[in-house]
């Protein structure tokens, strides 16, 4: 069970990264929904730990996975920043991604997801693209 | 000398050897790359060589009125690579003609005038650089052809043509201006300045603006939407970016081709063009099985943006396809992050905003065809711009 106390990530400055499809970018501006779970995510946002995979490696893996030649890049929010929004992060290594984590939006209910996602987006946007 | 083109050997293959080796140096080129904004200069260089080659051909053939059919198409050059290390060096080669040679099996026509045109241009630039003089026989009609070549160069940037030769020649905005003004009263250069919108003429699509000194200028926006947007915002300060006609004293005489930047928070891309791009997204673009953006959502967003911008005075939004098949419009206004999402069926608009400092949240859901759509969106827009102001380009950074 990934969302469990044992898997909870301790507060730190470690960045949790999202990969962005090129459609989610316009003139360098990221879509705020890139940090919001979609309906298929059941309130759990997937991300990658930068202590395990670098922004460059994560980006290149995404390109390969999606068969793209370029994408919107690696963007990140720290565990501490998620914590200040009341969002808890859980380590969730999966067979093809041992850096995988889940950020738990579900605990706040679906009606809060959009606002929390925009707060996370604002942090990532202020930090700027990590790679390329 | 015959007016028949010379041809390659019996292999009839084009010469793919280096035709152009140009070093772009100074300013932006110190990052060892050529910005996309500069690429039109390379196309303008090719057009310039074509015109010079035509002149040389006509002179050589007793001032013929026309060049042979296929002459211009026979000269295609392409960028094969950009090398870093010495600012940015663009390497171009001759390409096969766009259309088959009229001589059929005679193969690729290699008019020697194009190579000579390159030398002519190099020599002209070198002479202007060293003596400040323009040759007496330099044709008036060629002067204007230098307008677009090098137009994107900043004052601290230059191009070294023939960088692969022992004697490269340096071309910059000063040389360009000198050549153009040798035969003409005005020259084209970049416009990037703040103006005040001042109404317009609806039936001609002309917008009036005033520069910082109050001098009036006119221009025609690129689309009816851009005209309406500018027309409905008299007195707003905007930045105009594009091309203008300047006199010898560097005074702007006419706006030629400019786009309007209302503020730094808006996308430069026209919203119609962006929505057309979004409409092209395919099923599964985001994840296996996710739907493509629906036509209904794209068209509903098109109507909504027109209303928001023209009737409410909102900034043009950034636009994105939604993984569920809808379309999103977004604005960042100071501490506010705002969105308007249109669901795939295109019938409803979900407004949402959060203030990232106060955590205040706003929500509303509107029918896309609601009679009070303008009023309700106006209330939403006012709420997120009350603190931040609906700033115009008067405060834009350079």
């Amino acid at each position: 069970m990934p969302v469990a106390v044992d898997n909870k990530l301790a507060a730190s400055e470690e960045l949790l990264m999202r990969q962005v499809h090129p459609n989610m970018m316009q003139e360098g501006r990221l879509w705020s929904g890139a940090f919001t779970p979609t309906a298929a995510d059941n309130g759990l946002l997937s991300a990658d730990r930068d202590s395990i995979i670098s922004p460059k490696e994560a980006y290149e893996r995404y390109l390969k996975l999606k068969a793209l030649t370029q994408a919107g890049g690696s963007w990140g929010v720290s565990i501490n920043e998620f914590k200040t929004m009341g969002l808890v992060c859980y380590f969730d290594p999966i067979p093809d991604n041992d850096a995988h984590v889940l950020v738990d939006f579900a605990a706040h209910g679906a009606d809060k997801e959009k606002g929390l996602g925009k707060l996370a987006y604002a942090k990532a946007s202020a930090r700027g693209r990590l790679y390329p | 000398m015959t007016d028949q083109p010379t041809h390659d050997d019996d292999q009839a293959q084009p010469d793919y050897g280096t035709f152009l080796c140009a070093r772009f140096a100074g300013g932006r080129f110190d990052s060892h790359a050529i910005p996309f904004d500069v690429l039109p200069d390379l196309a303008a260089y090719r057009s310039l060589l074509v015109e010079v080659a035509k002149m040389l051909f006509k002179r050589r053939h007793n001032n013929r009125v026309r060049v042979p059919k296929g002459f211009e198409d026979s000269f295609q050059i392409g960028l094969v690579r950009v090398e870093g290390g010495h600012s940015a060096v663009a390497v171009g080669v001759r390409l096969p003609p766009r259309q088959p040679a009229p001589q059929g099996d005679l193969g690729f026509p290699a008019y020697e005038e194009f190579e000579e045109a390159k030398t002519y241009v190099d020599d002209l630039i070198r002479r202007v650089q060293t003596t400040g003089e323009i040759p007496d026989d330099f044709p008036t009609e060629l002067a204007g052809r230098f307008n677009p070549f090098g137009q994107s160069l900043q004052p601290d940037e230059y191009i070294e043509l023939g960088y692969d030769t022992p004697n490269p020649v340096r071309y910059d905005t000063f040389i360009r201006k000198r050549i153009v003004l040798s035969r003409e009263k005005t020259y084209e250069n970049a416009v990037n300045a703040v103006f005040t919108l001042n109404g317009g003429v609806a039936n001609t699509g002309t917008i009036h603006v005033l520069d910082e000194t109050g001098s009036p200028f006119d221009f025609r926006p690129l689309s009816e939407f851009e005209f309406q947007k500018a027309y409905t915002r008299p007195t707003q300060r905007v930045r105009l970016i594009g091309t203008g006609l300047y006199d010898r004293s560097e005074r702007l005489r006419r706006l030629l081709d400019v786009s309007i930047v209302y503020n730094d928070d808006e996308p430069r891309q026209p919203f119609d063009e962006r929505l057309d791009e979004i409409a092209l997204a395919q099923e599964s673009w985001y994840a296996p099985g996710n739907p493509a953006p629906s036509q209904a959502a794209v068209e509903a967003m098109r109507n909504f943006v027109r209303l928001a911008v023209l009737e409410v005075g909102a900034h043009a939004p950034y636009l994105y396809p939604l993984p569920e098949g809808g379309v999103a419009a977004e604005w960042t206004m100071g501490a506010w992050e705002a969105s308007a999402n249109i669901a795939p069926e295109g019938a409803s608009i979900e407004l949402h905003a959060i203030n990232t400092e106060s955590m205040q949240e706003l929500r509303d859901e509107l029918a896309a065809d609601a009679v009070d759509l303008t009023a309700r969106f106006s209330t939403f827009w006012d709420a997120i711009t009350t603190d931040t102001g609906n700033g115009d380009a008067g405060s834009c950074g350079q």
Side-chain angles (χ1 to χ4, degrees):
Chain A
M1 183 68 181
V3 180
V5 175
D6 288 351
N7 300 330
K8 187 174 165 183
L9 291 170
S12 77
E13 291 303 315
E14 181 180 1
L15 293 178
L16 304 184
M17 298 178 293
R18 293 277 295 167
Q19 295 302 313
V20 174
H21 190 278
N23 286 349
M24 294 176 174
M25 299 287 294
Q26 187 185 3
E27 296 179 14
R29 187 191 187 275
L30 178 66
W31 171 50
S32 73
F35 278 85
T36 308
T38 66
D41 293 331
N42 295 316
L44 299 173
L45 183 78
S46 290
D48 295 328
R49 301 180 65 173
D50 85 335
S51 63
I52 295 178
I53 188 168
S54 71
K56 179 175 188 287
E57 291 167 335
Y59 176 74
E60 288 171 352
R61 189 183 61 191
Y62 178 77
L63 291 185
K64 195 171 173 186
L65 187 69
K66 297 285 183 183
L68 294 167
T69 54
Q70 60 178 356
S74 298
W75 297 75
V77 175
S78 73
I79 296 172
N80 275 345
E81 287 168 338
F82 277 124
K83 189 182 174 193
T84 61
M85 299 167 212
L87 292 167
V88 181
C89 309
Y90 297 91
F91 191 30
D92 178 41
I94 52 179
D96 61 348
N97 185 3
D98 58 4
H100 187 248
V101 295
L102 292 169
V103 184
D104 184 12
F105 285 65
H108 294 269
D111 65 326
K112 292 287 181 193
E113 285 181 2
K114 201 160 276 178
L116 291 168
K118 284 193 171 91
L119 294 178
Y121 153 80
K123 294 289 184 190
S125 180
R127 177 169 284 110
R129 188 164 58 180
L130 305 173
Y131 188 85
Chain B
M1 183 67 70
T2 169
D3 68 351
Q4 292 300 307
T6 55
H7 298 275
D8 282 355
D9 59 23
D10 55 353
Q11 294 297 310
Q13 290 298 311
D15 177 7
Y16 284 102
T18 298
F19 180 83
L20 167 72
C21 185
R23 183 169 82 104
F24 290 73
R28 295 166 293 172
F29 307 115
D30 290 342
S31 59
H32 310 300
I34 297 179
F36 284 179
D37 291 352
V38 178
L39 295 181
D41 285 327
L42 291 172
Y45 178 66
R46 182 225 167 233
S47 298
L48 171 65
L49 294 188
V50 166
E51 294 308 313
V52 174
K54 284 180 181 173
M55 175 199 75
L56 295 173
F57 184 93
K58 290 172 188 172
R59 278 186 185 174
R60 177 168 291 152
H61 298 96
N62 302 317
N63 290 319
R64 273 177 56 150
V65 176
R66 293 193 182 126
V67 294
K69 188 176 177 185
F71 181 86
E72 180 171 345
D73 275 350
S74 75
F75 178 63
Q76 303 296 332
I77 48 178
L79 191 63
V80 283
R81 62 183 183 275
V82 175
E83 299 167 352
H86 302 278
S87 301
V89 177
V91 180
V93 298
R94 291 284 301 268
L95 299 174
R98 271 192 297 219
Q99 296 180 353
Q103 296 86 355
D105 60 358
L106 293 180
F108 180 59
Y111 293 100
E112 59 197 15
E113 285 81 4
F114 294 107
E115 191 69 46
E116 293 168 5
K118 187 170 72 164
T119 304
Y120 181 97
V121 169
D122 285 358
D123 290 346
L124 175 71
I125 294 170
R126 187 174 291 110
R127 177 155 173 181
V128 174
Q129 190 183 44
T130 54
T131 70
E133 301 292 325
I134 308 286
D136 291 340
D137 65 347
F138 178 63
T140 301
E141 63 271 20
L142 280 186
R145 297 289 176 172
F146 279 82
N147 261 320
F149 175 43
Q151 199 171 99
S152 70
L153 293 178
Q154 306 290 323
D156 60 342
E157 297 170 347
Y158 62 91
I159 305 172
E160 251 178 3
L161 297 167
Y163 184 63
D164 55 344
T165 68
N167 196 16
V169 59
R170 180 171 166 157
Y171 181 71
D172 56 23
T173 54
F174 173 79
I175 302 276
R176 182 174 72 90
K177 179 181 166 188
R178 184 95 189 195
I179 293 171
V180 175
L181 290 180
S182 72
R183 298 291 184 271
E184 302 196 352
K185 290 179 179 164
T186 54
Y187 75 107
E188 292 176 22
N189 210 359
V191 170
N192 184 349
V194 173
F195 292 78
T196 302
L197 295 173
N198 193 30
V201 182
N203 59 5
T204 61
T206 304
I207 287 296
H208 303 317
V209 290
L210 303 172
D211 72 5
E212 296 285 57
T213 67
S215 298
F217 294 91
D218 290 345
F219 70 100
R220 288 185 181 177
L222 300 176
S223 68
E224 188 262 342
F225 173 81
E226 286 299 328
F227 170 80
Q228 289 292 342
K229 185 176 175 183
Y231 188 69
T232 52
R233 299 178 186 208
T235 75
Q236 182 167 343
R237 284 157 61 81
V238 298
R239 182 169 291 280
L240 297 184
I241 296 177
T243 310
L245 213 53
Y246 292 81
D247 65 16
R248 293 170 189 274
S249 305
E250 309 278 354
R251 279 193 300 258
L252 180 64
R253 288 304 190 190
R254 191 147 53 98
L255 294 167
L256 294 177
D257 181 12
V258 290
S259 55
I260 312 170
V261 179
Y262 287 86
N263 56 70
D264 288 337
D265 300 324
E266 281 187 321
R268 303 278 175 92
Q269 184 182 24
F271 82 94
D272 268 326
E273 186 181 300
R274 174 63 178 166
L275 285 172
D276 290 345
E277 280 178 5
I278 288 172
L280 294 175
Q282 302 285 312
E283 182 185 321
S284 301
W285 68 267
Y286 179 74
N290 89 278
S294 74
Q295 192 64 23
V298 170
E299 292 314 313
M301 183 59 82
R302 213 180 288 277
N303 293 334
F304 173 69
V305 173
R306 287 187 71 88
L307 175 144
V309 173
L310 298 182
E311 295 187 32
V312 177
H315 290 186
Y318 287 84
L319 297 163
Y320 309 90
L322 292 168
E324 295 82 9
V327 182
E330 295 197 346
W331 302 264
T332 299
M333 299 298 299
W336 285 99
E337 295 295 345
S339 61
N341 287 4
I342 296 187
E345 72 279 4
S348 63
I349 303 169
E350 182 190 4
L351 302 178
H352 177 267
I354 187 166
N355 187 304
T356 57
E357 292 170 357
S358 69
M359 303 299 154
Q360 182 189 353
E361 237 174 316
L362 303 173
R363 294 170 191 274
D364 200 356
E365 183 145 358
L366 316 169
D369 58 356
V371 291
D372 61 348
L373 182 60
T374 303
R376 285 172 67 182
F377 179 70
S378 189
T379 301
F380 177 82
W381 184 254
D382 287 348
I384 64 172
T385 53
T386 298
D387 299 336
T388 57
N390 196 355
D392 62 29
S395 57
C396 278
Q398 266 296 108

